[in-house]
mmCIF file of all heavy atoms in Angstrom:
data_model
loop_
_atom_site.group_PDB
_atom_site.id
_atom_site.type_symbol
_atom_site.label_atom_id
_atom_site.label_comp_id
_atom_site.label_asym_id
_atom_site.label_seq_id
_atom_site.Cartn_x
_atom_site.Cartn_y
_atom_site.Cartn_z
ATOM 1 N N ASP A 18 104.955 77.432 117.458
ATOM 2 C CA ASP A 18 103.762 77.486 116.664
ATOM 3 C C ASP A 18 104.006 76.761 115.336
ATOM 4 O O ASP A 18 103.049 76.558 114.528
ATOM 5 C CB ASP A 18 103.416 78.930 116.276
ATOM 6 C CG ASP A 18 103.069 79.731 117.569
ATOM 7 O OD1 ASP A 18 102.205 79.268 118.341
ATOM 8 O OD2 ASP A 18 103.749 80.786 117.796
ATOM 9 N N VAL A 19 105.238 76.424 115.054
ATOM 10 C CA VAL A 19 105.575 75.773 113.771
ATOM 11 C C VAL A 19 105.813 74.313 114.114
ATOM 12 O O VAL A 19 106.816 73.971 114.799
ATOM 13 C CB VAL A 19 106.867 76.410 113.174
ATOM 14 C CG1 VAL A 19 107.105 75.795 111.819
ATOM 15 C CG2 VAL A 19 106.742 77.899 113.065
ATOM 16 N N ALA A 20 104.964 73.439 113.592
ATOM 17 C CA ALA A 20 105.149 72.004 113.853
ATOM 18 C C ALA A 20 106.122 71.373 112.872
ATOM 19 O O ALA A 20 106.131 71.777 111.712
ATOM 20 C CB ALA A 20 103.815 71.336 113.812
ATOM 21 N N LEU A 22 109.308 70.376 110.691
ATOM 22 C CA LEU A 22 110.360 71.227 110.049
ATOM 23 C C LEU A 22 111.599 71.400 110.916
ATOM 24 O O LEU A 22 112.187 72.492 110.963
ATOM 25 C CB LEU A 22 109.751 72.628 109.719
ATOM 26 C CG LEU A 22 108.439 72.645 108.922
ATOM 27 C CD1 LEU A 22 108.041 74.092 108.609
ATOM 28 C CD2 LEU A 22 108.563 71.882 107.611
ATOM 29 N N PRO A 59 103.059 74.662 98.398
ATOM 30 C CA PRO A 59 102.144 75.635 99.075
ATOM 31 C C PRO A 59 101.583 75.150 100.384
ATOM 32 O O PRO A 59 101.392 73.946 100.564
ATOM 33 C CB PRO A 59 100.998 75.723 98.062
ATOM 34 C CG PRO A 59 101.526 75.259 96.757
ATOM 35 C CD PRO A 59 102.604 74.297 97.080
ATOM 36 N N GLY A 60 101.401 76.061 101.299
ATOM 37 C CA GLY A 60 100.774 75.725 102.561
ATOM 38 C C GLY A 60 101.530 74.925 103.592
ATOM 39 O O GLY A 60 101.006 74.327 104.489
ATOM 40 N N THR A 61 102.878 74.812 103.389
ATOM 41 C CA THR A 61 103.672 73.985 104.265
ATOM 42 C C THR A 61 104.322 74.738 105.391
ATOM 43 O O THR A 61 105.120 74.210 106.167
ATOM 44 C CB THR A 61 104.821 73.261 103.458
ATOM 45 O OG1 THR A 61 105.420 74.228 102.547
ATOM 46 C CG2 THR A 61 104.234 72.121 102.682
ATOM 47 N N GLY A 62 104.001 76.041 105.526
ATOM 48 C CA GLY A 62 104.448 76.791 106.698
ATOM 49 C C GLY A 62 105.659 77.733 106.456
ATOM 50 O O GLY A 62 106.305 78.150 107.369
ATOM 51 N N LYS A 63 105.841 78.107 105.160
ATOM 52 C CA LYS A 63 106.987 78.963 104.881
ATOM 53 C C LYS A 63 106.789 80.380 105.481
ATOM 54 O O LYS A 63 107.659 80.890 106.151
ATOM 55 C CB LYS A 63 107.175 79.092 103.344
ATOM 56 C CG LYS A 63 107.498 77.753 102.712
ATOM 57 C CD LYS A 63 107.771 77.903 101.212
ATOM 58 C CE LYS A 63 106.551 78.253 100.388
ATOM 59 N NZ LYS A 63 105.506 77.212 100.411
ATOM 60 N N THR A 64 105.625 80.950 105.285
ATOM 61 C CA THR A 64 105.308 82.244 105.884
ATOM 62 C C THR A 64 105.344 82.139 107.375
ATOM 63 O O THR A 64 105.896 83.060 108.113
ATOM 64 C CB THR A 64 103.949 82.794 105.401
ATOM 65 O OG1 THR A 64 103.915 82.759 103.985
ATOM 66 C CG2 THR A 64 103.649 84.106 105.935
ATOM 67 N N LEU A 65 104.765 81.070 107.927
ATOM 68 C CA LEU A 65 104.712 80.883 109.364
ATOM 69 C C LEU A 65 106.140 80.795 109.960
ATOM 70 O O LEU A 65 106.432 81.449 110.964
ATOM 71 C CB LEU A 65 103.968 79.560 109.641
ATOM 72 C CG LEU A 65 103.610 79.257 111.059
ATOM 73 C CD1 LEU A 65 102.558 80.249 111.562
ATOM 74 C CD2 LEU A 65 103.030 77.829 111.165
ATOM 75 N N ASP A 116 106.975 86.875 99.771
ATOM 76 C CA ASP A 116 106.313 85.604 99.428
ATOM 77 C C ASP A 116 106.212 85.554 97.912
ATOM 78 O O ASP A 116 106.227 86.580 97.277
ATOM 79 C CB ASP A 116 104.902 85.624 100.066
ATOM 80 C CG ASP A 116 104.363 84.190 100.209
ATOM 81 O OD1 ASP A 116 105.071 83.234 99.838
ATOM 82 O OD2 ASP A 116 103.226 84.037 100.737
ATOM 83 N N ILE A 196 101.404 68.812 113.489
ATOM 84 C CA ILE A 196 100.631 69.950 113.079
ATOM 85 C C ILE A 196 99.260 69.951 113.765
ATOM 86 O O ILE A 196 98.743 70.951 114.203
ATOM 87 C CB ILE A 196 100.523 70.107 111.529
ATOM 88 C CG1 ILE A 196 101.921 70.251 110.959
ATOM 89 C CG2 ILE A 196 99.643 71.280 111.154
ATOM 90 C CD1 ILE A 196 101.962 70.113 109.402
ATOM 91 N N HIS A 200 97.297 72.683 116.377
ATOM 92 C CA HIS A 200 96.004 73.354 116.105
ATOM 93 C C HIS A 200 94.858 72.817 116.954
ATOM 94 O O HIS A 200 93.906 73.589 117.214
ATOM 95 C CB HIS A 200 95.720 73.253 114.613
ATOM 96 C CG HIS A 200 96.646 74.129 113.785
ATOM 97 N ND1 HIS A 200 96.509 75.465 113.589
ATOM 98 C CD2 HIS A 200 97.797 73.803 113.071
ATOM 99 C CE1 HIS A 200 97.456 75.952 112.853
ATOM 100 N NE2 HIS A 200 98.286 74.918 112.528
ATOM 101 N N GLY A 226 100.121 71.594 105.779
ATOM 102 C CA GLY A 226 99.822 72.214 107.075
ATOM 103 C C GLY A 226 98.609 73.145 107.019
ATOM 104 O O GLY A 226 97.782 73.149 107.892
ATOM 105 N N ALA A 227 98.527 73.895 105.870
ATOM 106 C CA ALA A 227 97.403 74.816 105.748
ATOM 107 C C ALA A 227 96.089 74.056 105.667
ATOM 108 O O ALA A 227 95.083 74.459 106.254
ATOM 109 C CB ALA A 227 97.625 75.674 104.493
ATOM 110 N N ALA A 230 95.211 72.785 109.135
ATOM 111 C CA ALA A 230 94.623 73.874 109.960
ATOM 112 C C ALA A 230 93.213 74.081 109.583
ATOM 113 O O ALA A 230 92.311 74.356 110.398
ATOM 114 C CB ALA A 230 95.456 75.195 109.769
HETATM 115 P P1 LIG B 1 102.129 79.508 100.421
HETATM 116 O O1 LIG B 1 103.276 78.865 99.643
HETATM 117 O O2 LIG B 1 100.788 79.144 99.903
HETATM 118 O O3 LIG B 1 102.322 80.970 100.705
HETATM 119 P P2 LIG B 1 103.174 78.810 103.053
HETATM 120 O O4 LIG B 1 104.128 77.678 102.875
HETATM 121 O O5 LIG B 1 103.708 80.174 103.207
HETATM 122 O O6 LIG B 1 102.149 78.759 101.864
HETATM 123 P P3 LIG B 1 101.726 79.327 105.450
HETATM 124 O O7 LIG B 1 101.032 80.478 104.927
HETATM 125 O O8 LIG B 1 102.843 79.496 106.346
HETATM 126 O O9 LIG B 1 102.202 78.402 104.229
HETATM 127 O O10 LIG B 1 100.706 78.325 106.142
HETATM 128 C C1 LIG B 1 99.333 78.624 106.239
HETATM 129 C C2 LIG B 1 98.798 78.239 107.556
HETATM 130 O O11 LIG B 1 98.792 76.790 107.641
HETATM 131 C C3 LIG B 1 99.598 78.658 108.746
HETATM 132 O O12 LIG B 1 99.234 79.983 109.150
HETATM 133 C C4 LIG B 1 99.275 77.635 109.759
HETATM 134 O O13 LIG B 1 97.977 77.863 110.383
HETATM 135 C C5 LIG B 1 99.159 76.358 108.946
HETATM 136 N N1 LIG B 1 100.438 75.608 108.872
HETATM 137 C C6 LIG B 1 101.180 75.340 107.787
HETATM 138 N N2 LIG B 1 102.299 74.677 108.063
HETATM 139 C C7 LIG B 1 102.292 74.503 109.424
HETATM 140 C C8 LIG B 1 103.178 73.931 110.351
HETATM 141 N N3 LIG B 1 104.326 73.340 109.951
HETATM 142 N N4 LIG B 1 102.871 73.937 111.623
HETATM 143 C C9 LIG B 1 101.726 74.556 112.098
HETATM 144 N N5 LIG B 1 100.850 75.118 111.270
HETATM 145 C C10 LIG B 1 101.132 75.117 109.942
#
Side-chain angles (χ1 to χ4, degrees):
D18 300 305
V19 186
L22 308 182
T61 44
K63 297 183 292 296
T64 305
L65 191 66
D116 203 359
I196 298 170
H200 291 279

